[in-house]
Amino acid sequence: MKYDLEVGDPRTVARVINMAHRFQCRATRVDSHSTAELTKAHFEFAGDTAQLERLRAQIDRIVQFEKIFVS
Amino acid sequence: MIPAISPRPRTGGDAVLEALEREGVDVIFGYPGGTIMPFYDALYGHPMRHILVRHEAGAAFAAGGYARTSGRVGVCCATSGPGATNLVTGLVDAMMDSIPLVAITGQVRTALMGTDGFQEADVCAITQCTTKASLLVTDPAQIYTKVREAFALARSGRPGPVLVDIPTDVLKAPYVPEQSAPRKTRDVRPVASRESIVAAADAIRTAHRPVAIAGGGVRDPKAVAAFREFCALLGLPHTTTICGLGASDPNDVHGLGMLGMHGTKAANLTVHTADVVLAFGMRFDDRVTGRPDRFAKDATIVHCDIDATEFNKIIPTRVPMHGDAGETIKSIVAELKTAHLPRFDDWAVQAKALGGPLPSDDAKDGHLSATDFLDQLVAALPPKSIVCTDVGQHQMWAAQRVKPNTPRDFCTSAGLGSMGFGFPSAIGACFANPGRPVFAIVGDGGFQMTMPELATVKRYQVPVKIVLIDNRNLGMVRQWQELFYDERYSATNLSDNPDFCTIASAYDIESFRISGPEDAPSTLKAFLEYSGPALLHVSCYPDELVWPMIPSGGVVEDLMESKA
């Protein structure tokens, strides 16, 4: 499963990797680039299909947390 | 001559306090320490109410009780390191049950961070996966923004806890007024699609044996009203999770009580035999479903939740409705009213008949049965009472018996099941609901985890009534040892408990003692009539178990009503 992330908080990358571990999936590739304002990351995960779907939903949820702010 | 005292220079601590005031905060539960001292210095003489607890865990649980019973954001604060880590259980508890909480923690000064400084803990990292967000403030000019964001996030969508960690040099720094217009926030409230509403209405119209379930997502009064109207309109049998207790109209005869491991037989059998399950604001916790592949296995699952990650997480959902429970129910009702409106009264009567009275063990040798006592207590509770519980057998007995008027009138650590929660959460409930009777029903194990909060009760004359169900055991663990571990009672015996009334007396708190069935009515009456904080020690038969019970990972056919 691939996931491209854009968030303000660079620590989200670590949070996602930890979450993958908890869902018994593996982050097989992580590319991340951060500026002061924006972090872009590309993830590739391996694991059980159902668990990967749960992981995707949870990452969506974390990303959603930042969307309550509109500049 | 007394020298003139120059005004104290304003600091980042004042900015935090102002930001909290702007969010409408009226009370903070906390405990001071080194790095958060500038904040406490700002609090000195300030009208903001600060409640000094005796352990930071008490602060987080009290803030949780405040939030759970009011719907407002609970606020707690602590110093860095051990102060912050002691808050963590309360934060996880809030995350599990979707409770809005903001925790303010001091941190070592910026230059010391990462050096293993005195009382340094990376609390942002520790709480990253157990809060909606953990925010570190490194610039005094960002204090307002971060606090504002924390509150917006705690309240938005599916509520939850947010931690704001502030290094002591930022708290000490000269006060910086809000620098720029704050980022606007919008509450992320998804609206269930028209397609899903129509699909839900169709499922209801074609159903023969539908059942509705309300969870913690039906706590809001508008959602409660919508759920009750929905059930009444259709003559629908309905049940609740422990977080949804109180969502059901107490006068609706089709209410089946609580669902799950210690839920009613009627609720569990009805869900098991249903052809349509309408689940609102609940997450199919394993204590509700038992073995998930056998849960409501013949039913079409219609699931409404504000958090899309809950769909298909445990139980496959046929009709997911991504939206606020109250608004979604209103939309379903509106859709149903456009055509033939089905009624399910006959099925609801059958559903109710699937159950029976709550089973309980008989007490022996003249001992008092905890369930008999709780029946007496519940019957005597004053109007508008709020009941907070700790975790264990007494929690389940209370959940089976208390009939709260709304979900906010029953406060319990459901998802995390955190012992020590009950007593401090009741303190928080008292501050959120002045004038209302608040009861903390606790066990002898959990009470001893946060018992020093008796000092908090004494200092502020918190009018909490503590009902201590003492069976001299860690009863729920013991119950599992009895039923599933060949009666090998490992580390559950508390027969050397202290004299709790003497302890209450040491804190100058009134206490009452029930030693046997004959004492119960008169002593309970005296306890209830006593004005002010009080502890009622109830010595109970130690071998009483919680019935009914579906063993963990079991199915409804495994439901036990007695040990035999």
Side-chain angles (χ1 to χ4, degrees):
Chain A
M1 190 263 281
K2 295 179 181 176
Y3 199 104
D4 289 299
L5 183 77
E6 280 194 18
V7 287
D9 186 348
R11 298 173 307 152
T12 305
V13 175
R15 185 171 188 173
V16 168
I17 294 169
N18 283 330
M19 198 180 284
H21 182 75
R22 183 143 180 260
F23 290 178
Q24 297 149 62
C25 302
R26 270 184 315 123
T28 56
R29 179 171 180 177
V30 182
D31 297 320
S32 178
H33 303 278
S34 288
T35 65
E37 300 296 323
L38 185 68
T39 292
K40 292 185 179 181
H42 171 78
F43 296 92
E44 293 180 12
F45 300 103
D48 173 78
T49 307
Q51 293 289 74
L52 288 170
E53 278 311 304
R54 283 188 60 206
L55 176 62
R56 179 190 294 280
Q58 290 288 344
I59 302 171
D60 285 344
R61 180 190 185 198
I62 292 170
V63 173
Q64 198 69 28
F65 288 161
E66 289 196 359
K67 290 190 177 168
I68 69 161
F69 304 111
V70 285
S71 297
Chain B
M1 183 177 170
I2 300 171
I5 300 171
S6 58
R8 179 183 63 85
R10 303 188 77 208
T11 66
D14 292 280
V16 176
L17 208 42
E18 278 187 11
L20 294 175
E21 280 185 305
R22 285 191 191 184
E23 295 297 332
V25 176
D26 59 354
V27 61
I28 304 168
F29 302 93
Y31 201 96
T35 60
I36 202 167
M37 282 178 67
F39 175 69
Y40 273 84
D41 194 46
L43 265 172
Y44 187 73
H46 192 279
M48 173 72 77
R49 189 150 201 207
H50 173 270
I51 304 304
L52 176 66
V53 293
R54 291 301 190 272
H55 189 286
E56 292 87 349
F61 288 145
Y66 177 98
R68 285 169 188 265
T69 58
S70 69
R72 302 192 293 272
V73 179
V75 181
C76 55
C77 66
T79 195
S80 59
T85 57
N86 282 340
L87 293 178
V88 172
T89 306
L91 297 177
V92 185
D93 176 77
M95 188 72 173
M96 289 287 270
D97 288 348
S98 310
I99 304 302
L101 215 70
V102 168
I104 307 285
T105 50
Q107 181 55 272
V108 299
R109 66 179 188 272
T110 313
L112 211 56
M113 286 174 63
T115 66
D116 301 326
F118 176 67
Q119 292 195 327
E120 180 183 4
D122 186 355
V123 73
C124 280
I126 290 168
T127 58
Q128 194 185 30
C129 62
T130 57
T131 56
K132 290 181 81 171
S134 52
L135 313 172
L136 176 67
V137 186
T138 53
D139 177 357
Q142 285 289 310
I143 287 174
Y144 278 104
T145 305
K146 294 293 185 189
V147 172
R148 187 188 298 270
E149 288 182 4
F151 276 81
L153 197 49
R155 293 184 183 115
S156 74
R158 180 177 179 172
V162 179
L163 180 133
V164 184
D165 195 32
I166 314 176
T168 195
D169 54 316
V170 175
L171 287 172
K172 270 185 199 165
Y175 173 85
V176 180
E178 193 157 25
Q179 292 296 289
S180 56
R183 282 201 288 175
K184 289 181 181 167
T185 60
R186 63 168 176 227
D187 195 355
V188 183
R189 288 220 168 255
V191 178
S193 69
R194 169 88 189 129
E195 186 186 26
S196 69
I197 298 294
V198 171
D202 285 348
I204 293 166
R205 283 201 187 96
T206 55
H208 296 96
R209 300 181 308 281
V211 62
I213 310 171
V218 190
R219 279 194 190 102
D220 181 81
K222 288 179 185 168
V224 171
F227 181 75
R228 291 177 177 182
E229 184 196 345
F230 174 68
C231 293
L233 190 70
L234 301 175
L236 196 61
H238 55 279
T239 173
T240 75
T241 69
I242 192 168
C243 284
L245 283 175
S248 177
D249 184 340
N251 299 315
D252 189 329
V253 294
H254 299 328
L256 301 170
M258 185 173 72
L259 180 66
M261 179 180 278
H262 294 295
T264 66
K265 187 176 178 181
N268 282 300
L269 282 173
T270 300
V271 171
H272 184 65
T273 52
D275 62 354
V276 173
V277 169
L278 304 153
F280 297 103
M282 55 91 74
R283 57 187 179 84
F284 295 104
D285 181 272
D286 58 272
R287 286 296 192 265
V288 162
T289 64
R291 192 174 141 182
D293 63 332
R294 296 281 299 279
F295 177 81
K297 60 183 171 43
D298 298 323
T300 296
I301 305 292
V302 178
H303 186 189
C304 164
D305 205 285
I306 202 162
D307 180 355
T309 66
E310 294 301 340
F311 301 132
N312 298 305
K313 188 178 84 174
I314 308 288
I315 300 295
T317 305
R318 179 79 64 82
V319 183
M321 292 182 289
H322 187 202
D324 168 77
E327 295 302 318
T328 305
I329 293 170
K330 282 184 197 167
S331 298
I332 296 172
V333 167
E335 177 61 27
L336 284 169
K337 284 180 175 175
T338 62
H340 165 67
L341 202 58
R343 291 280 309 183
F344 300 100
D345 302 85
D346 292 344
W347 156 239
V349 170
Q350 290 175 44
K352 194 93 171 183
L354 291 171
L358 272 176
S360 62
D361 291 325
D362 292 329
K364 298 182 182 103
D365 305 327
H367 286 99
L368 178 64
S369 144
T371 52
D372 285 350
F373 168 75
L374 286 168
D375 285 336
Q376 292 179 47
L377 173 69
V378 168
L381 285 174
K384 295 191 172 180
S385 288
I386 293 170
V387 173
C388 302
T389 81
D390 210 80
V391 170
Q393 285 183 311
H394 70 277
Q395 175 191 31
M396 293 298 114
W397 286 323
Q400 291 170 338
R401 285 163 175 78
V402 175
K403 306 292 178 212
N405 286 322
T406 80
R408 288 185 182 153
D409 294 351
F410 189 78
C411 171
T412 196
S413 171
L416 191 64
S418 180
M419 288 175 66
F421 168 89
F423 176 36
S425 75
I427 294 173
C430 286
F431 283 100
N433 302 274
R436 290 185 61 183
V438 176
F439 291 81
I441 301 178
V442 298
D444 45 316
F447 183 58
Q448 290 185 79
M449 290 188 174
T450 43
M451 193 164 61
E453 300 309 335
L454 286 167
T456 310
V457 168
K458 174 61 186 170
R459 171 171 290 198
Y460 301 100
Q461 281 298 298
V462 184
V464 62
K465 293 281 192 294
I466 306 158
V467 179
L468 173 53
I469 305 295
D470 183 1
N471 60 4
R472 297 164 300 286
N473 275 283
L474 297 175
M476 188 59 93
V477 184
R478 189 180 191 277
Q479 173 162 343
W480 284 46
Q481 289 171 337
E482 181 170 347
L483 297 176
F484 312 121
Y485 288 85
D486 296 328
E487 301 184 12
R488 291 158 59 83
Y489 298 120
S490 178
T492 47
N493 184 311
L494 299 183
S495 59
D496 51 358
N497 269 337
D499 182 331
F500 292 103
C501 291
T502 301
I503 288 177
S505 174
Y507 284 97
D508 197 16
I509 289 173
E510 189 66 35
S511 65
F512 299 80
R513 196 188 300 268
I514 294 178
S515 303
E518 64 286 352
D519 304 345
S522 59
T523 308
L524 175 60
K525 185 169 183 289
F527 170 71
L528 292 172
E529 287 174 355
Y530 181 78
S531 173
L535 180 142
L536 174 62
H537 178 258
V538 188
S539 182
C540 293
Y541 178 59
D543 293 334
E544 187 168 12
L545 306 187
V546 182
W547 306 116
M549 178 179 194
I550 299 174
S552 178
V555 295
V556 73
E557 288 93 338
D558 301 328
L559 185 143
M560 305 159 71
E561 294 191 279
S562 68
K563 193 179 172 187

